[in-house]
Amino acid sequence: MATERAALLIAALACAALPQAGRAQAFQCSLPGAVELPRIEPERPRRLPVTGYTLALSWAPEFCRFREDQPRHTRQCSGKAGRFGFTVHGLWPDSGRSWPQWCGGPDLTAREARANLCISPDARLIARQWEKHGSCMAQRPATYLKVTRILYNGLRWPDFVRISREDGLTAATVRKRLADANPGWMPEAIGVHLDGKGWLEELRLCYDRRFMPRACDARRFGTGDGQPVKIWRGL
């Protein structure tokens, strides 16, 4: 319990220590009255020392581009529950070049999952992220999800629709725009991941063990600075 309180405190202090600019990205989001959670079948555990963290953020307009009518993604992609920009794919503990995974822990409750549905609008994904990643950094799912909210809500977002219209847009531009909106962040701590056709799929923000920004390794950094980037606006 003391370890969990320490994790929450460190995350909160780390976000407070970074000067903030502007307001957080705002979404129209309605929460469901009931949440159904699937049973997640655990895989082989990989218990490794935690050396840092990655906050993976999906660009929802691109994710939903061909999924608007899929029942599996109704909440995120139909527009009925709101419109989303960057959503939380997951918060992943790192261990050098590997990932601690499937460490075991108590089951996630529907109430706990519901608290994160406006930043990660897929209950199945939340459940799997807790089982696969969160169980290796917290004893309880509520702690893992709260740390995720603290980190996400501590970010400030530039207008990515405007950025998408910039001439000569590259991965370096994306990194710079986000770093400029978040004093204390540096471009080398921001991973940019594209699909095979050059469309922005995901950002991966790299943290050290105290939840302060640190330079990403090559895998988390993703696309090189000079790579052209396209951003689907969902229009």
Side-chain angles (χ1 to χ4, degrees):
M1 191 70 69
T3 301
E4 300 217 332
R5 286 197 295 268
L8 287 169
L9 180 60
I10 289 171
L13 290 175
C15 288
L18 297 173
Q20 302 298 338
R23 293 179 60 84
Q25 188 174 10
F27 310 122
Q28 293 179 342
C29 173
S30 59
L31 290 172
V35 176
E36 293 186 10
L37 294 178
R39 177 173 176 78
I40 305 298
E41 293 295 334
E43 299 177 17
R44 183 176 179 180
R46 188 188 302 163
R47 297 182 176 90
L48 299 168
V50 175
T51 58
Y53 303 92
T54 301
L55 183 64
L57 302 164
S58 297
W59 179 238
E62 176 62 31
F63 177 82
C64 292
R65 192 172 181 178
F66 303 110
R67 295 181 172 95
E68 292 90 344
D69 300 324
Q70 294 183 10
R72 165 75 173 80
H73 302 293
T74 294
R75 175 172 174 77
Q76 181 169 185
C77 300
S78 70
K80 296 178 181 178
R83 290 293 181 183
F84 301 91
F86 280 103
T87 63
V88 175
H89 177 173
L91 175 61
W92 307 333
D94 309 333
S95 185
R97 296 184 178 181
S98 189
W99 311 94
Q101 294 180 352
W102 307 105
C103 293
D107 291 337
L108 176 73
T109 68
R111 180 179 180 182
E112 290 165 339
R114 187 175 184 270
N116 275 43
L117 280 175
C118 281
I119 66 171
S120 188
D122 184 334
R124 180 187 296 271
L125 176 63
I126 293 172
R128 182 172 175 82
Q129 291 298 303
W130 155 247
E131 295 283 354
K132 184 176 182 180
H133 298 288
S135 61
C136 295
M137 60 171 280
Q139 296 175 348
R140 300 180 301 160
T143 303
Y144 170 70
L145 296 179
K146 187 170 184 179
V147 170
T148 303
R149 291 196 301 274
I150 289 171
L151 296 178
Y152 180 86
N153 291 330
L155 296 168
R156 297 295 179 265
W157 296 98
D159 184 348
F160 269 82
V161 172
R162 179 187 59 76
I163 292 170
S164 74
R165 296 189 171 97
E166 291 190 27
D167 293 332
L169 182 63
T170 65
T173 310
V174 172
R175 292 183 171 103
K176 186 176 188 306
R177 297 290 179 267
L178 187 57
D180 286 349
N182 291 273
W185 277 86
M186 57 282 197
E188 57 268 29
I190 300 170
V192 175
H193 290 255
L194 311 178
D195 71 5
K197 296 182 178 180
W199 292 95
L200 178 64
E201 284 188 320
E202 193 162 274
L203 299 179
R204 296 184 181 174
L205 307 187
C206 300
Y207 297 84
D208 64 18
R209 288 184 63 187
R210 298 187 63 81
F211 296 104
M212 296 299 291
R214 74 170 181 188
C216 300
D217 61 23
R219 180 170 61 165
R220 295 169 181 83
F221 191 73
T223 301
D225 279 343
Q227 182 69 30
V229 173
K230 297 179 288 186
I231 301 176
W232 180 252
R233 295 188 289 270
L235 302 176

